[in-house]
Amino acid sequence: MTFGRLNPQFRLEDQGIEGLGNVYYNYMEPALVETALKNGEGTLGNGGAFLTSTGKYTGRSPKDKFVVKTDSVKDTIWWEENAAMSPAHFDALYADFLSHMQDKDYHVQDLVGGADPRHSINVRMVTELAWHGLFIRTMLRRPDREDLDDFTADYTVINCPSFVADPKKHGCRSEVVIALNFDRKLILIGGTEYAGENKKSVFTLLNYLLPEKGIMPMHCSANHAKGNPVDTAVFFGLSGTGKTTLSADPDRVLIGDDEHGWSDQGTFNFEGGCYAKTINLDPEAEPEIYATTTKFGTVIENMVFDPDTKELDFADDSLAANMRCAYPLHYISNASQSSIGGHPKNIIMLTCDAFGVLPPIARLTPAQAMYHFLSGFTAKVAGTERGVTEPQPTFSTCFGAPFMPRRPEVYGNLLREKIAKHGATCWLVNTGWTGGAYGTGSRMPIRATRALLTAALEGSLVSAEFRKDPNFGFEVPVSVPGVAEVLLDPRRTWDDKAAYDAQATKLVQMFSDNFEPYLPYIDADVKSVAIG
């Protein structure tokens, strides 16, 4: 049977998905929470938050993600990074999905990816779990209720955690599969309860579609000055680098925490919610994010809690280091109502340097910005991906290689053109280690990072005295009010200066080795600033 509100001409049956049990269309938050609790999918927490576990998989499965290699996309996909699946294997996978779904209840959410209606896509999410429906309703943008009456989807995502993939039959790698078919406008997710796969599948779609329109898709957070959307800043970075925390500045207006586009009109958020890591979440340093963990409908993933009081333990990572909360943007008091800003005035590239070598902030030339964007250096932090239990130095081009279907130069050239056209100032910010590498040093003080970012965004940092870093060639401020000068020179923070020099040499070589494959695709000015 069918329940809920939908376009009567756009049922699952109209899409060829038949023989299901009950189908619940566009249930709102109270009904989704009620259904999830009734189904035993989780527990009601303080304030009405929904507490749940994602089971075996507590992070993304990037090696289980595939793009179907059809004639229309075979020459535009970056196959070195995106695993291919044959159309025949996808057809077999889809047939088995439909068979698996027979007689089971499903939840449908008709949603939008993109705050700017000129560039948004309509997405239908079909989920086996009610709480996945709650999660994606929180994370994507919700149409007005009356707009559901004639909603049709550009793309459909089907998520069946109970489905077990067969590598031999389906052309995949394991029991988990994420398969994108651009021709069929269909994404299949199976074998994992980790909800982040839902939102990242839509991000990957937009990363493929938008460059054809001259729009730069960005794995970044964004905010703007109060009362002045023209003064917009974007924060590139992989998970764990501080995108969510640093963009949620109470003195600025939050546009979004993870995924944005940069069009000829300005910056716009892809999403309608935020997905924040909660390990060691500090109510003093991050009060607004902390407060969302006791608000109705916030999804709390993989957190330990007291069975009687439902109090959350923000320090206990025994379920997963990748513990998270998903909440709607309007739960942040200074969030933008439109989720749209101007052209970025400042571009911040966040990195979590596990070597303890990079300074807390450095100013980049446009050529250096493209170099660091293509390099995408950071450390994978514990729990973000399956098998990552401690920080691992890595290079993820465009600060999001797992989500980039096209070659990185496509995104790099778009970024370069937009920086040149709109005159953005670019900064590299290290939120990783200082005083030594991971295991010896300590994490960069968040108060220092915030002070440096405030100086950069307010414009005072531009007039500071800078020195040229001998290893990386970028400019580093010599002193900034409110920040200990020793932090600005990472070599001084190490007790063993020779050990620092050895680590710096090692990191320089890593940058050099990583960037070599890009040299044939870049211009001379970027080659001239290549490290090493």
Side-chain angles (χ1 to χ4, degrees):
M1 295 182 64
T2 294
F3 302 88
R5 189 164 185 172
L6 76 155
N7 177 352
Q9 306 302 315
F10 192 62
R11 304 165 303 155
L12 288 184
E13 290 87 344
D14 299 309
Q15 297 180 266
I17 304 172
E18 299 177 316
L20 308 187
N22 293 324
V23 181
Y24 305 95
Y25 288 88
N26 297 304
Y27 270 23
M28 297 180 72
E29 290 79 3
L32 288 167
V33 171
E34 184 179 33
T35 304
L37 291 172
K38 183 177 69 175
N39 293 345
E41 297 174 8
T43 302
L44 193 66
N46 290 321
F50 184 75
L51 314 179
T52 189
S53 166
T54 62
K56 182 178 179 180
Y57 301 115
T58 58
R60 289 182 294 101
S61 301
K63 294 181 180 179
D64 294 303
K65 186 175 181 180
F66 296 83
V67 175
V68 180
K69 195 169 188 177
T70 59
D71 289 342
S72 67
V73 302
K74 66 180 183 181
D75 296 326
T76 52
I77 297 294
W78 181 27
W79 295 113
E80 292 88 346
E81 181 66 28
N82 293 271
M85 175 180 285
S86 73
H89 278 130
F90 182 86
D91 290 344
L93 179 66
Y94 187 38
D96 285 349
F97 255 71
L98 294 180
S99 177
H100 178 81
M101 295 168 72
Q102 295 297 294
D103 300 320
K104 294 184 176 69
D105 294 350
Y106 278 83
H107 302 268
V108 175
Q109 288 288 321
D110 292 327
L111 301 163
V112 176
D116 188 333
R118 291 166 293 193
H119 310 302
S120 62
I121 62 171
N122 288 351
V123 180
R124 167 162 282 182
M125 304 291 302
V126 183
T127 63
E128 183 178 14
L129 297 173
W131 83 262
H132 273 195
L134 174 65
F135 171 87
I136 201 61
R137 179 175 173 80
T138 298
M139 292 309 306
L140 290 185
R141 303 190 66 80
R142 300 160 290 280
D144 292 336
R145 296 298 286 177
E146 58 269 23
D147 291 338
L148 295 172
D149 296 340
D150 57 6
F151 181 99
T152 57
D154 299 306
Y155 287 83
T156 297
V157 182
I158 303 175
N159 189 321
C160 298
S162 65
F163 181 85
V164 178
D166 180 341
K168 185 175 181 180
K169 185 177 183 181
H170 302 135
C172 54
R173 190 186 71 100
S174 75
E175 65 182 4
V176 175
V177 64
I178 302 101
L180 294 80
N181 191 321
F182 287 101
D183 283 10
R184 299 276 292 271
K185 297 189 174 182
L186 182 62
I187 299 175
L188 305 177
I189 304 172
T192 173
E193 293 183 35
Y194 182 64
E197 300 288 9
N198 294 297
K199 84 184 212 85
K200 289 305 183 186
S201 68
V202 179
F203 185 38
T204 304
L205 275 179
L206 289 166
N207 282 340
Y208 183 78
L209 298 172
L210 292 181
E212 289 185 343
K213 301 173 68 174
I215 298 169
M216 173 68 186
M218 302 179 291
H219 190 207
C220 72
S221 57
N223 62 27
H224 67 71
K226 287 184 176 179
N228 185 14
V230 172
D231 185 1
T232 292
V234 298
F235 302 75
F236 284 102
L238 291 167
S239 176
T241 55
K243 293 194 309 300
T244 299
T245 296
L246 296 173
S247 58
D249 184 335
D251 295 323
R252 293 175 65 85
V253 175
L254 176 68
I255 301 172
D257 83 320
D258 195 43
E259 302 168 4
H260 293 79
W262 185 355
S263 71
D264 289 340
Q265 293 78 36
T267 307
F268 63 97
N269 191 358
F270 291 168
E271 301 183 304
C274 300
Y275 194 31
K277 291 175 76 71
T278 56
I279 188 168
N280 297 322
L281 190 62
D282 188 334
E284 293 186 9
E286 300 156 287
E288 293 244 62
I289 298 174
Y290 187 90
T292 69
T293 62
T294 54
K295 291 190 175 183
F296 180 78
T298 292
V299 176
I300 308 288
E301 289 180 339
N302 300 317
M303 288 193 72
V304 174
F305 57 89
D306 186 287
D308 297 321
T309 67
K310 302 300 188 291
E311 291 294 323
L312 300 169
D313 190 332
F314 292 88
D316 188 339
D317 63 355
S318 58
L319 289 179
N322 194 33
M323 55 179 77
R324 288 181 180 265
C325 63
Y327 51 89
L329 270 168
H330 64 261
Y331 280 3
I332 302 297
S333 62
N334 62 325
S336 166
Q337 292 188 355
S338 69
S339 294
I340 293 175
H343 298 290
K345 182 178 178 182
N346 286 279
I347 294 174
I348 294 96
M349 297 184 182
L350 299 170
T351 182
C352 174
D353 173 22
F355 285 88
V357 169
L358 295 177
I361 196 166
R363 184 168 61 185
L364 306 175
T365 66
Q368 287 173 329
M370 184 170 178
Y371 175 85
H372 283 279
F373 179 73
L374 290 176
S375 296
F377 170 71
T378 191
K380 290 180 182 176
V381 296
T384 303
E385 293 180 9
R386 287 162 50 189
V388 178
T389 57
E390 61 182 43
Q392 298 176 0
T394 188
F395 291 86
S396 185
T397 189
C398 308
F399 292 98
F403 323 119
M404 304 297 169
R406 298 178 183 270
R407 279 205 60 86
E409 299 81 24
V410 172
Y411 307 103
N413 287 330
L414 272 171
L415 180 64
R416 183 181 185 183
E417 291 165 8
K418 292 187 179 296
I419 290 173
K421 183 175 181 179
H422 300 288
T425 303
C426 302
W427 308 90
L428 182 71
V429 171
N430 174 26
T431 61
W433 274 258
T434 185
Y438 169 77
T440 303
S442 57
R443 285 300 293 264
M444 195 71 66
I446 190 170
R447 294 184 188 279
T449 301
R450 286 194 184 279
L452 292 167
L453 282 173
T454 297
L457 299 182
E458 291 179 350
S460 61
L461 191 57
V462 174
S463 59
E465 178 186 353
F466 287 82
R467 65 176 177 84
K468 184 175 181 179
D469 186 276
N471 295 304
F472 300 95
F474 42 50
E475 294 183 315
V476 181
V478 175
S479 64
V480 177
V483 179
E485 285 191 18
V486 66
L487 278 178
L488 297 170
D489 185 351
R491 190 174 188 271
R492 289 175 58 193
T493 67
W494 285 54
D495 293 333
D496 187 340
K497 304 300 188 284
Y500 171 86
D501 293 338
Q503 281 284 72
T505 299
K506 182 179 179 180
L507 186 55
V508 165
Q509 188 60 51
M510 288 180 67
F511 266 93
S512 179
D513 293 343
N514 171 75
F515 202 73
E516 190 170 346
Y518 302 114
L519 293 176
Y521 302 97
I522 60 173
D523 293 337
D525 61 336
V526 181
K527 290 180 182 177
S528 70
V529 300
I531 294 169

